[in-house]
Amino acid sequence: PTQCGTMPQWLYTLAELQERGAGSVLLILATCISLALANIGATSGWWLGLWASPVGPPIGGHALSLRGWVNEGLMAIFFFVVGLEIKQELRFGALASLRKAVLPCLAAVGGMVTPMAVYLGAQLLLGGGSMAALAVPMATDIAFAMAIYGFFRARMPPSASAFLLTLATVDDVGAILVLATCFAHDVSLKFLGLAGAITAGLMGACRSKVADLKVYAAGAGALWWALLRSGVNSDIAGVVAALCVSTRVYTCAPDGHTERLTERAITRLAPLATFAIMPIFALANTAVRLGGLGGPAAAAGAAPAIGVAAGLLLGKPLGIVAFTWLAVRSGVAAMPSGMRPIHLGIVGVLGAIGFTMCLLLTEVAVPAVATQALPKLAVLVSSGLAAVVASIAMSRLPLRNGADDQAGDAPRPKAA
């Protein structure tokens, strides 16, 4: 392009705040506000009713509540940013090289299958348990985990940052695939075919090196509508559209230099996802009435909640550490430079911070709103405990010298 638009100053400010972990603070604040409003007598009925109220006209007989618009609408934009970041990692980051990616990828697999195995074991031990929330503890919240890590970056080896980032990225891919395949219902082949045709059109735009993000946004909107009508979880339209954005297309940066279209989109959208979409998601999905946890419907969520908590707090660290140890022990991969068992253990605990993705999986896996209360509470408490334990462990590590801290241990801010 011959002309280049400048980046608004407020976006630079948000990006800097995001780098410092302010997004996680806002996420916690939104959670506390939502929980408080849902449990204060004067506001409880209004707050819970607000998110359950239908908004807008039905789409093909599919009426969305305000919470539905957040989970299936706003989260599609969130997943668009996630998709851009995944593509960047696949092309130029830690996932671009098999040698670099194999160990954290194996750790991610362990961090997905082991929590599900622990969940399954908990349901069998409890007797009469439910398999509905089996996939919930498989996910890691990249933004939250990386923000907690960022507070103690000077005490961890640079390689631990790349390891955690790659692990969480692969983890996100797994959660997205589960959303796309395991929670489809009343699938319409006609609209699924339309979604395939739209995707093909987006891939054609990628091959033609289209540099206008409006084209991909329009395609993502059409794909979202088709997936919503097809019965497949529609927010994955964001990921699909993002993966179709070409990394070989360049545009002007505000300073006059060229930069990749994907990088420019991430720079503009990631702070908005962090400071707007994720807090709104937290407001909508943590509106849990704690006083009603003893009712029959809520009690049905007790066994899934125990399984989710056990899966996150036990399964996640165990799976990440065990699969990494087995890979290194068998000679499949080598431990990253500078990482010791204590660092690996901390990364495993950070992986247990499930927050955003676990709440989203709870929404789609446990359809009865009353039954969701305890599993959601288990996600919040488990993620909080994991963050506290990891923070205490990292705070006890010695400080590294400045040269080590500048050796690349400053990953690009992540939206998820």
Side-chain angles (χ1 to χ4, degrees), residues 222-240:
L223 181 60
W224 178 87
W225 179 82
L227 288 176
L228 185 66
R229 296 294 304 273
S230 73
V232 176
N233 196 279
S234 57
D235 49 22
I236 66 165
V239 176
V240 175

Side-chain angles (χ1 to χ4, degrees), residues 80-145:
F80 183 76
V81 183
V82 172
L84 289 172
E85 292 173 337
I86 289 172
K87 186 156 189 178
Q88 282 285 104
E89 293 296 328
L90 287 169
R91 293 290 192 187
F92 314 109
L95 296 177
S97 164
L98 181 61
R99 183 180 60 83
K100 291 191 297 182
V102 63
L103 188 62
C105 283
L106 289 173
V109 172
M112 288 186 281
V113 300
T114 309
M116 290 192 289
V118 170
Y119 179 95
L120 177 61
Q123 302 311 299
L124 294 175
L125 286 173
L126 291 170
S130 168
M131 294 295 107
L134 176 65
V136 171
M138 70 176 286
T140 297
D141 189 313
I142 297 181
F144 217 138

Side-chain angles (χ1 to χ4, degrees), residues 10-201:
W10 61 273
L11 270 178
Y12 283 116
T13 304
L14 286 181
E16 184 177 351
L17 289 172
Q18 182 185 10
E19 186 76 27
R20 296 178 180 178
S24 295
V25 175
L26 187 58
L27 203 60
I28 294 171
L29 182 61
T31 300
C32 293
I33 290 173
S34 186
L35 282 170
L37 290 175
N39 290 280
I40 295 174
T43 58
S44 177
W46 164 77
W47 185 247
L48 295 174
L50 172 68
W51 296 108
S53 58
V55 177
I59 302 176
H62 191 115
L64 290 176
S65 65
L66 184 57
R67 182 184 288 112
W69 278 107
V70 172
N71 291 348
E72 296 205 54
L74 281 182
M75 288 302 284
I77 303 172
F78 170 84
F79 277 120
F80 183 76
V81 183
V82 172
L84 289 172
E85 292 173 337
I86 289 172
K87 186 156 189 178
Q88 282 285 104
E89 293 296 328
L90 287 169
R91 293 290 192 187
F92 314 109
L95 296 177
S97 164
L98 181 61
R99 183 180 60 83
K100 291 191 297 182
V102 63
L103 188 62
C105 283
L106 289 173
V109 172
M112 288 186 281
V113 300
T114 309
M116 290 192 289
V118 170
Y119 179 95
L120 177 61
Q123 302 311 299
L124 294 175
L125 286 173
L126 291 170
S130 168
M131 294 295 107
L134 176 65
V136 171
M138 70 176 286
T140 297
D141 189 313
I142 297 181
F144 217 138
M146 291 304 299
I148 299 298
Y149 175 91
F151 290 130
F152 303 95
R153 180 175 288 125
R155 299 178 183 273
M156 294 285 284
S159 56
S161 174
F163 188 90
L164 175 60
L165 185 59
T166 307
L167 182 156
T169 300
V170 176
D171 197 306
D172 260 9
V173 174
I176 290 165
L177 290 174
V178 167
L179 281 170
T181 58
C182 297
F183 298 108
H185 54 87
D186 300 326
V187 175
S188 168
L189 294 180
K190 178 177 68 173
F191 285 103
L192 200 58
L194 176 60
I198 295 170
T199 302

Side-chain angles (χ1 to χ4, degrees), residues 366-389:
V366 186
V369 175
T371 311
Q372 292 173 0
L374 280 172
K376 282 186 175 182
L377 190 61
V379 169
L380 296 176
V381 172
S382 300
S383 298
L385 282 173
V388 170
V389 170

